[in-house]
Amino acid sequence: QVQLVESGGGLVKPGGSLRLSCAASGFTFSDYYMSWIRQAPGKGLEWVSYISSSGSTIYYADSVKGRFTISRDNAKNSLYLQMNSLRAEDTAVYYCVTTVVHKSTGWFDPWGQGTLVTVSS
Amino acid sequence: SYVLTQPPSVSVAPGQTARITCGGNNIGSKSVHWYQQKPGQAPVLVVYDDSDRPSGIPERFSGSNSGNTATLTISRVEAGDEADYYCQVWDSSSDLNVVFGGGTKLTVL
């Protein structure tokens, strides 16, 4: 079955960096668009970034643009999120999510279990 | 940027019908997707493209979208339906902008 397993979360100081990874299995990873979505403690969902199946098309939310970098390695069935210049407001559970794009819309299914990133001094 | 508005909470008795709304400017012109999130778990897609259900989602879950309001309807509500529900739209007219509603806590009385 489809499995998405995130890793790399943890405690980091403001201004620091962290790299999240997502290991995918149970499907042909290279055929699918992928995204990162985050959820601050007790808060709602916030889309962070999107990458096309080949990696040629990438988008970011304004809140992370210039600080975060999404990438993928289709040979390793892996998705990454490099996070630099981290701020307290980046504290959240980060989900790796398979993204379905159809005509002019897109949705997220399925989701990994998430990895917690805490930015604090 | 585009804003989706959901009521913070909805309460319903078991066996009754719950309706969770998602308001947005001319949302009827967009496709709306809905997610269920139980405490401590990742979200799960329950409705996509306004009214389609992924495999494995009970027929009790349905969706509609018109005008300025999209609605997730849960018929014959069960205790296990108690969760947070989020609506979502996708705007790729220029740069990509994915918007989630603030979420609605469904309480089964």
Side-chain angles (χ1 to χ4, degrees):
Chain A
Q1 73 281 17
V2 174
Q3 196 166 12
L4 298 167
V5 179
E6 301 92 338
S7 61
L11 176 63
V12 61
K13 289 181 167 54
S17 298
L18 214 53
R19 188 194 195 208
L20 305 184
S21 299
C22 171
S25 60
F27 66 108
T28 305
F29 180 72
S30 58
D31 286 348
Y32 285 83
Y33 304 150
M34 298 294 296
S35 297
W36 289 98
I37 293 170
R38 68 184 181 183
Q39 186 171 35
K43 303 297 184 181
L45 302 170
E46 180 188 15
W47 169 75
V48 172
S49 184
Y50 155 100
I51 186 168
S52 62
S53 55
S54 66
S56 61
T57 302
I58 286 172
Y59 296 107
Y60 298 99
D62 287 344
S63 58
V64 306
K65 204 171 291 185
R67 300 187 299 122
F68 289 12
T69 302
I70 191 172
S71 62
R72 64 190 297 161
D73 185 336
N74 287 340
K76 294 183 178 179
N77 291 338
S78 293
L79 177 72
Y80 307 101
L81 186 68
Q82 177 67 42
M83 305 185 295
N84 298 331
S85 303
L86 283 162
R87 306 166 180 166
E89 54 264 36
D90 295 318
T91 294
V93 173
Y94 285 73
Y95 293 102
C96 166
V97 193
T98 305
T99 305
V100 178
V101 178
H102 177 67
K103 296 182 180 177
S104 61
T105 190
W107 58 86
F108 305 104
D109 180 50
W111 299 54
Q113 282 305 300
T115 187
L116 176 62
V117 173
T118 302
V119 184
S120 174
S121 54
Chain B
S1 61
Y2 196 75
V3 176
L4 295 175
T5 302
Q6 297 182 238
S9 63
V10 168
S11 298
V12 64
Q16 299 304 303
T17 297
R19 293 179 180 84
I20 298 172
T21 59
C22 177
N25 184 33
N26 197 26
I27 196 174
S29 67
K30 302 179 182 295
S31 291
V32 179
H33 320 295
W34 291 91
Y35 303 87
Q36 175 195 67
Q37 185 179 32
K38 296 182 179 179
Q41 298 184 18
V44 172
L45 180 73
V46 293
V47 167
Y48 66 96
D49 254 354
D50 295 338
S51 58
D52 290 332
R53 272 185 320 277
S55 59
I57 300 301
E59 291 183 7
R60 302 184 297 103
F61 288 81
S62 62
S64 62
N65 185 17
S66 179
N68 292 317
T69 304
T71 303
L72 173 69
T73 301
I74 309 172
S75 304
R76 303 180 298 283
V77 166
E78 303 173 356
D81 298 331
E82 187 162 288
D84 293 325
Y85 291 84
Y86 296 90
C87 57
Q88 174 247 315
V89 298
W90 176 284
D91 180 6
S92 57
S93 54
S94 56
D95 208 352
L96 177 62
N97 185 27
V98 177
V99 181
F100 287 95
T104 298
K105 168 67 176 179
L106 175 66
T107 299
V108 181
L109 301 170

mmCIF file with all atom_site columns, all heavy atoms in Angstrom, chain A residues 81-100:
data_model
loop_
_atom_site.group_PDB
_atom_site.id
_atom_site.type_symbol
_atom_site.label_atom_id
_atom_site.label_alt_id
_atom_site.label_comp_id
_atom_site.label_asym_id
_atom_site.label_entity_id
_atom_site.label_seq_id
_atom_site.pdbx_PDB_ins_code
_atom_site.Cartn_x
_atom_site.Cartn_y
_atom_site.Cartn_z
_atom_site.occupancy
_atom_site.B_iso_or_equiv
_atom_site.pdbx_formal_charge
_atom_site.auth_seq_id
_atom_site.auth_comp_id
_atom_site.auth_asym_id
_atom_site.auth_atom_id
_atom_site.pdbx_PDB_model_num
ATOM 1   N N   . LEU A 1 81  ? 12.686 18.713 1.828  1.00 0.00 ? 81  LEU A N   1
ATOM 2   C CA  . LEU A 1 81  ? 12.400 20.124 2.058  1.00 0.00 ? 81  LEU A CA  1
ATOM 3   C C   . LEU A 1 81  ? 13.570 20.695 2.857  1.00 0.00 ? 81  LEU A C   1
ATOM 4   O O   . LEU A 1 81  ? 13.754 20.344 4.031  1.00 0.00 ? 81  LEU A O   1
ATOM 5   C CB  . LEU A 1 81  ? 11.085 20.327 2.810  1.00 0.00 ? 81  LEU A CB  1
ATOM 6   C CG  . LEU A 1 81  ? 10.659 21.794 2.961  1.00 0.00 ? 81  LEU A CG  1
ATOM 7   C CD1 . LEU A 1 81  ? 10.288 22.381 1.588  1.00 0.00 ? 81  LEU A CD1 1
ATOM 8   C CD2 . LEU A 1 81  ? 9.477  21.929 3.929  1.00 0.00 ? 81  LEU A CD2 1
ATOM 9   N N   . GLN A 1 82  ? 14.359 21.528 2.216  1.00 0.00 ? 82  GLN A N   1
ATOM 10  C CA  . GLN A 1 82  ? 15.445 22.230 2.890  1.00 0.00 ? 82  GLN A CA  1
ATOM 11  C C   . GLN A 1 82  ? 14.888 23.522 3.450  1.00 0.00 ? 82  GLN A C   1
ATOM 12  O O   . GLN A 1 82  ? 14.357 24.357 2.706  1.00 0.00 ? 82  GLN A O   1
ATOM 13  C CB  . GLN A 1 82  ? 16.585 22.523 1.912  1.00 0.00 ? 82  GLN A CB  1
ATOM 14  C CG  . GLN A 1 82  ? 17.725 23.315 2.516  1.00 0.00 ? 82  GLN A CG  1
ATOM 15  C CD  . GLN A 1 82  ? 18.478 22.540 3.577  1.00 0.00 ? 82  GLN A CD  1
ATOM 16  O OE1 . GLN A 1 82  ? 18.762 21.344 3.417  1.00 0.00 ? 82  GLN A OE1 1
ATOM 17  N NE2 . GLN A 1 82  ? 18.820 23.204 4.672  1.00 0.00 ? 82  GLN A NE2 1
ATOM 18  N N   . MET A 1 83  ? 15.001 23.686 4.756  1.00 0.00 ? 83  MET A N   1
ATOM 19  C CA  . MET A 1 83  ? 14.441 24.856 5.429  1.00 0.00 ? 83  MET A CA  1
ATOM 20  C C   . MET A 1 83  ? 15.562 25.675 6.049  1.00 0.00 ? 83  MET A C   1
ATOM 21  O O   . MET A 1 83  ? 16.289 25.177 6.918  1.00 0.00 ? 83  MET A O   1
ATOM 22  C CB  . MET A 1 83  ? 13.445 24.412 6.507  1.00 0.00 ? 83  MET A CB  1
ATOM 23  C CG  . MET A 1 83  ? 12.334 23.512 5.965  1.00 0.00 ? 83  MET A CG  1
ATOM 24  S SD  . MET A 1 83  ? 11.092 23.119 7.208  1.00 0.00 ? 83  MET A SD  1
ATOM 25  C CE  . MET A 1 83  ? 12.062 22.165 8.345  1.00 0.00 ? 83  MET A CE  1
ATOM 26  N N   . ASN A 1 84  ? 15.720 26.893 5.591  1.00 0.00 ? 84  ASN A N   1
ATOM 27  C CA  . ASN A 1 84  ? 16.753 27.797 6.097  1.00 0.00 ? 84  ASN A CA  1
ATOM 28  C C   . ASN A 1 84  ? 16.110 29.005 6.765  1.00 0.00 ? 84  ASN A C   1
ATOM 29  O O   . ASN A 1 84  ? 14.919 29.269 6.590  1.00 0.00 ? 84  ASN A O   1
ATOM 30  C CB  . ASN A 1 84  ? 17.655 28.257 4.952  1.00 0.00 ? 84  ASN A CB  1
ATOM 31  C CG  . ASN A 1 84  ? 18.400 27.115 4.286  1.00 0.00 ? 84  ASN A CG  1
ATOM 32  O OD1 . ASN A 1 84  ? 18.697 26.090 4.912  1.00 0.00 ? 84  ASN A OD1 1
ATOM 33  N ND2 . ASN A 1 84  ? 18.696 27.277 3.002  1.00 0.00 ? 84  ASN A ND2 1
ATOM 34  N N   . SER A 1 85  ? 16.915 29.727 7.511  1.00 0.00 ? 85  SER A N   1
ATOM 35  C CA  . SER A 1 85  ? 16.450 30.958 8.176  1.00 0.00 ? 85  SER A CA  1
ATOM 36  C C   . SER A 1 85  ? 15.139 30.703 8.916  1.00 0.00 ? 85  SER A C   1
ATOM 37  O O   . SER A 1 85  ? 14.167 31.460 8.777  1.00 0.00 ? 85  SER A O   1
ATOM 38  C CB  . SER A 1 85  ? 16.276 32.078 7.154  1.00 0.00 ? 85  SER A CB  1
ATOM 39  O OG  . SER A 1 85  ? 17.472 32.322 6.464  1.00 0.00 ? 85  SER A OG  1
ATOM 40  N N   . LEU A 1 86  ? 15.105 29.649 9.689  1.00 0.00 ? 86  LEU A N   1
ATOM 41  C CA  . LEU A 1 86  ? 13.860 29.250 10.350 1.00 0.00 ? 86  LEU A CA  1
ATOM 42  C C   . LEU A 1 86  ? 13.435 30.262 11.405 1.00 0.00 ? 86  LEU A C   1
ATOM 43  O O   . LEU A 1 86  ? 14.260 30.887 12.079 1.00 0.00 ? 86  LEU A O   1
ATOM 44  C CB  . LEU A 1 86  ? 14.021 27.863 10.964 1.00 0.00 ? 86  LEU A CB  1
ATOM 45  C CG  . LEU A 1 86  ? 13.934 26.729 9.933  1.00 0.00 ? 86  LEU A CG  1
ATOM 46  C CD1 . LEU A 1 86  ? 14.518 25.441 10.468 1.00 0.00 ? 86  LEU A CD1 1
ATOM 47  C CD2 . LEU A 1 86  ? 12.487 26.512 9.503  1.00 0.00 ? 86  LEU A CD2 1
ATOM 48  N N   . ARG A 1 87  ? 12.122 30.400 11.521 1.00 0.00 ? 87  ARG A N   1
ATOM 49  C CA  . ARG A 1 87  ? 11.503 31.348 12.460 1.00 0.00 ? 87  ARG A CA  1
ATOM 50  C C   . ARG A 1 87  ? 10.578 30.584 13.399 1.00 0.00 ? 87  ARG A C   1
ATOM 51  O O   . ARG A 1 87  ? 10.150 29.464 13.095 1.00 0.00 ? 87  ARG A O   1
ATOM 52  C CB  . ARG A 1 87  ? 10.684 32.371 11.675 1.00 0.00 ? 87  ARG A CB  1
ATOM 53  C CG  . ARG A 1 87  ? 11.441 33.092 10.582 1.00 0.00 ? 87  ARG A CG  1
ATOM 54  C CD  . ARG A 1 87  ? 10.475 33.820 9.661  1.00 0.00 ? 87  ARG A CD  1
ATOM 55  N NE  . ARG A 1 87  ? 11.159 34.539 8.585  1.00 0.00 ? 87  ARG A NE  1
ATOM 56  C CZ  . ARG A 1 87  ? 10.564 35.035 7.507  1.00 0.00 ? 87  ARG A CZ  1
ATOM 57  N NH1 . ARG A 1 87  ? 9.246  34.893 7.365  1.00 0.00 ? 87  ARG A NH1 1
ATOM 58  N NH2 . ARG A 1 87  ? 11.275 35.668 6.590  1.00 0.00 ? 87  ARG A NH2 1
ATOM 59  N N   . ALA A 1 88  ? 10.234 31.216 14.487 1.00 0.00 ? 88  ALA A N   1
ATOM 60  C CA  . ALA A 1 88  ? 9.327  30.574 15.450 1.00 0.00 ? 88  ALA A CA  1
ATOM 61  C C   . ALA A 1 88  ? 8.008  30.184 14.778 1.00 0.00 ? 88  ALA A C   1
ATOM 62  O O   . ALA A 1 88  ? 7.425  29.134 15.084 1.00 0.00 ? 88  ALA A O   1
ATOM 63  C CB  . ALA A 1 88  ? 9.068  31.509 16.620 1.00 0.00 ? 88  ALA A CB  1
ATOM 64  N N   . GLU A 1 89  ? 7.559  30.995 13.854 1.00 0.00 ? 89  GLU A N   1
ATOM 65  C CA  . GLU A 1 89  ? 6.275  30.722 13.194 1.00 0.00 ? 89  GLU A CA  1
ATOM 66  C C   . GLU A 1 89  ? 6.349  29.564 12.203 1.00 0.00 ? 89  GLU A C   1
ATOM 67  O O   . GLU A 1 89  ? 5.315  29.168 11.649 1.00 0.00 ? 89  GLU A O   1
ATOM 68  C CB  . GLU A 1 89  ? 5.737  31.977 12.489 1.00 0.00 ? 89  GLU A CB  1
ATOM 69  C CG  . GLU A 1 89  ? 6.702  32.621 11.526 1.00 0.00 ? 89  GLU A CG  1
ATOM 70  C CD  . GLU A 1 89  ? 7.482  33.772 12.147 1.00 0.00 ? 89  GLU A CD  1
ATOM 71  O OE1 . GLU A 1 89  ? 7.816  33.671 13.356 1.00 0.00 ? 89  GLU A OE1 1
ATOM 72  O OE2 . GLU A 1 89  ? 7.768  34.751 11.420 1.00 0.00 ? 89  GLU A OE2 1
ATOM 73  N N   . ASP A 1 90  ? 7.525  29.009 11.990 1.00 0.00 ? 90  ASP A N   1
ATOM 74  C CA  . ASP A 1 90  ? 7.651  27.805 11.159 1.00 0.00 ? 90  ASP A CA  1
ATOM 75  C C   . ASP A 1 90  ? 7.420  26.534 11.979 1.00 0.00 ? 90  ASP A C   1
ATOM 76  O O   . ASP A 1 90  ? 7.399  25.431 11.418 1.00 0.00 ? 90  ASP A O   1
ATOM 77  C CB  . ASP A 1 90  ? 9.037  27.733 10.510 1.00 0.00 ? 90  ASP A CB  1
ATOM 78  C CG  . ASP A 1 90  ? 9.285  28.862 9.525  1.00 0.00 ? 90  ASP A CG  1
ATOM 79  O OD1 . ASP A 1 90  ? 8.361  29.184 8.752  1.00 0.00 ? 90  ASP A OD1 1
ATOM 80  O OD2 . ASP A 1 90  ? 10.406 29.418 9.535  1.00 0.00 ? 90  ASP A OD2 1
ATOM 81  N N   . THR A 1 91  ? 7.271  26.686 13.290 1.00 0.00 ? 91  THR A N   1
ATOM 82  C CA  . THR A 1 91  ? 6.998  25.536 14.148 1.00 0.00 ? 91  THR A CA  1
ATOM 83  C C   . THR A 1 91  ? 5.685  24.881 13.734 1.00 0.00 ? 91  THR A C   1
ATOM 84  O O   . THR A 1 91  ? 4.633  25.524 13.719 1.00 0.00 ? 91  THR A O   1
ATOM 85  C CB  . THR A 1 91  ? 6.916  25.970 15.622 1.00 0.00 ? 91  THR A CB  1
ATOM 86  O OG1 . THR A 1 91  ? 8.205  26.435 16.043 1.00 0.00 ? 91  THR A OG1 1
ATOM 87  C CG2 . THR A 1 91  ? 6.473  24.823 16.513 1.00 0.00 ? 91  THR A CG2 1
ATOM 88  N N   . ALA A 1 92  ? 5.766  23.599 13.395 1.00 0.00 ? 92  ALA A N   1
ATOM 89  C CA  . ALA A 1 92  ? 4.592  22.895 12.888 1.00 0.00 ? 92  ALA A CA  1
ATOM 90  C C   . ALA A 1 92  ? 4.919  21.424 12.647 1.00 0.00 ? 92  ALA A C   1
ATOM 91  O O   . ALA A 1 92  ? 6.094  21.035 12.638 1.00 0.00 ? 92  ALA A O   1
ATOM 92  C CB  . ALA A 1 92  ? 4.128  23.516 11.559 1.00 0.00 ? 92  ALA A CB  1
ATOM 93  N N   . VAL A 1 93  ? 3.881  20.651 12.461 1.00 0.00 ? 93  VAL A N   1
ATOM 94  C CA  . VAL A 1 93  ? 4.034  19.314 11.898 1.00 0.00 ? 93  VAL A CA  1
ATOM 95  C C   . VAL A 1 93  ? 4.038  19.470 10.383 1.00 0.00 ? 93  VAL A C   1
ATOM 96  O O   . VAL A 1 93  ? 3.157  20.139 9.812  1.00 0.00 ? 93  VAL A O   1
ATOM 97  C CB  . VAL A 1 93  ? 2.886  18.394 12.329 1.00 0.00 ? 93  VAL A CB  1
ATOM 98  C CG1 . VAL A 1 93  ? 2.971  17.050 11.594 1.00 0.00 ? 93  VAL A CG1 1
ATOM 99  C CG2 . VAL A 1 93  ? 2.911  18.171 13.837 1.00 0.00 ? 93  VAL A CG2 1
ATOM 100 N N   . TYR A 1 94  ? 5.036  18.883 9.744  1.00 0.00 ? 94  TYR A N   1
ATOM 101 C CA  . TYR A 1 94  ? 5.176  18.974 8.283  1.00 0.00 ? 94  TYR A CA  1
ATOM 102 C C   . TYR A 1 94  ? 4.780  17.632 7.671  1.00 0.00 ? 94  TYR A C   1
ATOM 103 O O   . TYR A 1 94  ? 5.342  16.593 8.031  1.00 0.00 ? 94  TYR A O   1
ATOM 104 C CB  . TYR A 1 94  ? 6.604  19.342 7.903  1.00 0.00 ? 94  TYR A CB  1
ATOM 105 C CG  . TYR A 1 94  ? 6.904  20.800 8.158  1.00 0.00 ? 94  TYR A CG  1
ATOM 106 C CD1 . TYR A 1 94  ? 7.064  21.278 9.458  1.00 0.00 ? 94  TYR A CD1 1
ATOM 107 C CD2 . TYR A 1 94  ? 6.989  21.707 7.107  1.00 0.00 ? 94  TYR A CD2 1
ATOM 108 C CE1 . TYR A 1 94  ? 7.308  22.621 9.703  1.00 0.00 ? 94  TYR A CE1 1
ATOM 109 C CE2 . TYR A 1 94  ? 7.244  23.060 7.337  1.00 0.00 ? 94  TYR A CE2 1
ATOM 110 C CZ  . TYR A 1 94  ? 7.393  23.502 8.633  1.00 0.00 ? 94  TYR A CZ  1
ATOM 111 O OH  . TYR A 1 94  ? 7.633  24.843 8.873  1.00 0.00 ? 94  TYR A OH  1
ATOM 112 N N   . TYR A 1 95  ? 3.810  17.699 6.763  1.00 0.00 ? 95  TYR A N   1
ATOM 113 C CA  . TYR A 1 95  ? 3.305  16.506 6.102  1.00 0.00 ? 95  TYR A CA  1
ATOM 114 C C   . TYR A 1 95  ? 3.823  16.431 4.661  1.00 0.00 ? 95  TYR A C   1
ATOM 115 O O   . TYR A 1 95  ? 3.781  17.436 3.920  1.00 0.00 ? 95  TYR A O   1
ATOM 116 C CB  . TYR A 1 95  ? 1.780  16.514 6.047  1.00 0.00 ? 95  TYR A CB  1
ATOM 117 C CG  . TYR A 1 95  ? 1.086  16.403 7.380  1.00 0.00 ? 95  TYR A CG  1
ATOM 118 C CD1 . TYR A 1 95  ? 0.545  17.525 8.002  1.00 0.00 ? 95  TYR A CD1 1
ATOM 119 C CD2 . TYR A 1 95  ? 0.955  15.168 8.014  1.00 0.00 ? 95  TYR A CD2 1
ATOM 120 C CE1 . TYR A 1 95  ? -0.119 17.424 9.219  1.00 0.00 ? 95  TYR A CE1 1
ATOM 121 C CE2 . TYR A 1 95  ? 0.290  15.062 9.230  1.00 0.00 ? 95  TYR A CE2 1
ATOM 122 C CZ  . TYR A 1 95  ? -0.233 16.199 9.827  1.00 0.00 ? 95  TYR A CZ  1
ATOM 123 O OH  . TYR A 1 95  ? -0.883 16.086 11.032 1.00 0.00 ? 95  TYR A OH  1
ATOM 124 N N   . CYS A 1 96  ? 4.236  15.255 4.284  1.00 0.00 ? 96  CYS A N   1
ATOM 125 C CA  . CYS A 1 96  ? 4.557  14.934 2.896  1.00 0.00 ? 96  CYS A CA  1
ATOM 126 C C   . CYS A 1 96  ? 3.282  14.375 2.274  1.00 0.00 ? 96  CYS A C   1
ATOM 127 O O   . CYS A 1 96  ? 2.647  13.475 2.852  1.00 0.00 ? 96  CYS A O   1
ATOM 128 C CB  . CYS A 1 96  ? 5.673  13.888 2.898  1.00 0.00 ? 96  CYS A CB  1
ATOM 129 S SG  . CYS A 1 96  ? 5.988  13.043 1.352  1.00 0.00 ? 96  CYS A SG  1
ATOM 130 N N   . VAL A 1 97  ? 2.899  14.907 1.116  1.00 0.00 ? 97  VAL A N   1
ATOM 131 C CA  . VAL A 1 97  ? 1.578  14.579 0.582  1.00 0.00 ? 97  VAL A CA  1
ATOM 132 C C   . VAL A 1 97  ? 1.633  14.335 -0.925 1.00 0.00 ? 97  VAL A C   1
ATOM 133 O O   . VAL A 1 97  ? 2.206  15.146 -1.666 1.00 0.00 ? 97  VAL A O   1
ATOM 134 C CB  . VAL A 1 97  ? 0.577  15.716 0.850  1.00 0.00 ? 97  VAL A CB  1
ATOM 135 C CG1 . VAL A 1 97  ? -0.830 15.241 0.594  1.00 0.00 ? 97  VAL A CG1 1
ATOM 136 C CG2 . VAL A 1 97  ? 0.687  16.240 2.272  1.00 0.00 ? 97  VAL A CG2 1
ATOM 137 N N   . THR A 1 98  ? 1.040  13.243 -1.353 1.00 0.00 ? 98  THR A N   1
ATOM 138 C CA  . THR A 1 98  ? 0.887  13.001 -2.779 1.00 0.00 ? 98  THR A CA  1
ATOM 139 C C   . THR A 1 98  ? -0.166 13.958 -3.325 1.00 0.00 ? 98  THR A C   1
ATOM 140 O O   . THR A 1 98  ? -1.217 14.138 -2.701 1.00 0.00 ? 98  THR A O   1
ATOM 141 C CB  . THR A 1 98  ? 0.459  11.550 -3.032 1.00 0.00 ? 98  THR A CB  1
ATOM 142 O OG1 . THR A 1 98  ? 1.403  10.687 -2.413 1.00 0.00 ? 98  THR A OG1 1
ATOM 143 C CG2 . THR A 1 98  ? 0.418  11.256 -4.511 1.00 0.00 ? 98  THR A CG2 1
ATOM 144 N N   . THR A 1 99  ? 0.133  14.573 -4.445 1.00 0.00 ? 99  THR A N   1
ATOM 145 C CA  . THR A 1 99  ? -0.710 15.633 -4.995 1.00 0.00 ? 99  THR A CA  1
ATOM 146 C C   . THR A 1 99  ? -1.291 15.204 -6.323 1.00 0.00 ? 99  THR A C   1
ATOM 147 O O   . THR A 1 99  ? -0.548 14.824 -7.232 1.00 0.00 ? 99  THR A O   1
ATOM 148 C CB  . THR A 1 99  ? 0.117  16.911 -5.169 1.00 0.00 ? 99  THR A CB  1
ATOM 149 O OG1 . THR A 1 99  ? 0.725  17.232 -3.909 1.00 0.00 ? 99  THR A OG1 1
ATOM 150 C CG2 . THR A 1 99  ? -0.753 18.066 -5.634 1.00 0.00 ? 99  THR A CG2 1
ATOM 151 N N   . VAL A 1 100 ? -2.598 15.247 -6.428 1.00 0.00 ? 100 VAL A N   1
ATOM 152 C CA  . VAL A 1 100 ? -3.281 14.921 -7.678 1.00 0.00 ? 100 VAL A CA  1
ATOM 153 C C   . VAL A 1 100 ? -3.668 16.219 -8.362 1.00 0.00 ? 100 VAL A C   1
ATOM 154 O O   . VAL A 1 100 ? -4.360 17.048 -7.770 1.00 0.00 ? 100 VAL A O   1
ATOM 155 C CB  . VAL A 1 100 ? -4.539 14.068 -7.415 1.00 0.00 ? 100 VAL A CB  1
ATOM 156 C CG1 . VAL A 1 100 ? -5.255 13.778 -8.723 1.00 0.00 ? 100 VAL A CG1 1
ATOM 157 C CG2 . VAL A 1 100 ? -4.161 12.785 -6.691 1.00 0.00 ? 100 VAL A CG2 1
#
